[in-house]
């Protein structure tokens, strides 16, 4: 039992470390380009390659952070709370996190997933869709950051080592 608990704690720690990297790099990219939003077509089409790379980084890190939180952080947090999550659909995991007041709104999370899907599955030559996705990403940057910070605060308080 003790080794399972240690294994679960390690999974949670790893999810936090990975999420922190994605969060920091996403924020770095956003701060480099946030003054470009809302992004009009004429600005998007005139971007220099270096600035375009920050938009790509923002998309990549937003997607990776969302994947990390949904695929690793949420399940490992519930396992550390001794919640049974095996074979539970993802929506039930979100519901449980909401019931525990860790996640304020599962609808917000689902909205972030739609945003992720929009920006990762669009074709770069369809400019209007790219711009729409980037503006949506800018809007939801602060939402995912807020959810991330809520989880980190909860985990720090709940699993803080006793002194």
């Amino acid at each position: 039992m003790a080794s399972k608990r240690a294994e679960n704690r390690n999974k949670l720690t790893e999810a936090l470390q990975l999420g922190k990297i994605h969060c920091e790099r996403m924020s770095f990219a956003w701060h480099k380009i946030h003054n470009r939003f809302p992004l009009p077509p004429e600005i998007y089409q005139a971007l220099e390659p270096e600035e375009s790379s920050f938009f790509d980084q923002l998309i990549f890190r937003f997607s990776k952070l969302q994947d990390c939180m949904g695929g690793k952080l949420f399940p490992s947090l519930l396992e550390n709370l001794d919640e049974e999550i095996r074979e539970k659909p993802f929506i039930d995991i979100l519901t449980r996190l909401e019931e525990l007041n860790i996640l304020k709104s599962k609808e917000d999370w689902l909205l972030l997933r739609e945003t992720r899907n929009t920006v990762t599955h669009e074709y770069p030559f369809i400019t209007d869709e790219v711009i729409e996705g980037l503006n949506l990403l800018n809007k939801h940057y602060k939402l995912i950051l807020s959810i991330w910070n809520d989880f980190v605060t909860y985990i720090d308080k709940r699993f803080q080592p006793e002194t």
Side-chain angles (χ1 to χ4, degrees):
M1 184 67 173
S3 65
K4 183 66 177 168
R5 190 168 296 278
E7 181 183 323
N8 285 343
R9 188 60 57 94
N10 285 339
K11 282 185 192 175
L12 183 60
T13 300
E14 287 176 14
L16 282 170
Q17 290 171 337
L18 185 59
K20 183 179 176 191
I21 290 168
H22 294 311
C23 192
E24 287 173 351
R25 293 180 184 173
M26 176 187 70
S27 292
F28 177 81
W30 185 83
H31 283 285
K32 289 287 189 182
I33 57 174
H34 76 278
N35 60 343
R36 295 295 200 174
F37 291 108
L39 188 63
E42 60 274 9
I43 297 293
Y44 176 75
Q45 291 167 344
L47 291 173
E48 294 293 324
E50 183 178 337
E51 198 170 23
S52 288
S53 71
F54 291 121
F55 284 94
D56 290 344
Q57 183 178 342
L58 179 63
I59 292 168
F60 179 74
R61 294 299 173 175
F62 180 93
S63 300
K64 296 298 275 184
L65 179 59
Q66 223 249 345
D67 288 347
C68 173
M69 291 175 71
K72 296 179 190 301
L73 185 65
F74 294 174
S76 65
L77 175 56
L78 289 175
E79 286 175 343
N80 276 278
L81 295 173
D82 295 325
E83 297 280 337
E84 180 55 52
I85 61 162
R86 260 183 281 173
E87 299 183 27
K88 277 194 174 184
F90 186 66
I91 193 70
D92 291 347
I93 290 173
L94 293 176
T95 299
R96 187 64 186 139
L97 289 167
E98 196 176 54
E99 289 169 352
L100 294 169
N101 294 317
I102 303 170
L103 180 64
K104 289 178 185 159
S105 164
K106 67 182 171 203
E107 284 75 23
D108 282 350
W109 186 258
L110 296 173
L111 190 63
L112 292 175
R113 195 155 74 176
E114 283 180 34
T115 300
R116 177 198 168 279
N117 290 341
T118 298
V119 295
T120 57
H121 295 117
E122 61 195 18
Y123 297 100
F125 50 85
I126 305 175
T127 306
D128 290 345
E129 289 181 20
V130 171
I131 293 169
E132 183 180 330
L134 287 170
N135 284 323
L136 197 57
L137 188 64
N138 176 58
K139 182 179 169 186
H140 292 151
Y141 161 78
K142 289 182 181 173
L143 179 59
I144 197 169
L145 205 58
S146 173
I147 294 171
W148 168 257
N149 287 331
D150 288 347
F151 272 77
V152 170
T153 299
Y154 178 86
I155 291 167
D156 283 350
K157 285 182 183 172
R158 182 70 167 84
F159 299 106
Q160 187 176 36
E162 294 178 21
T163 55

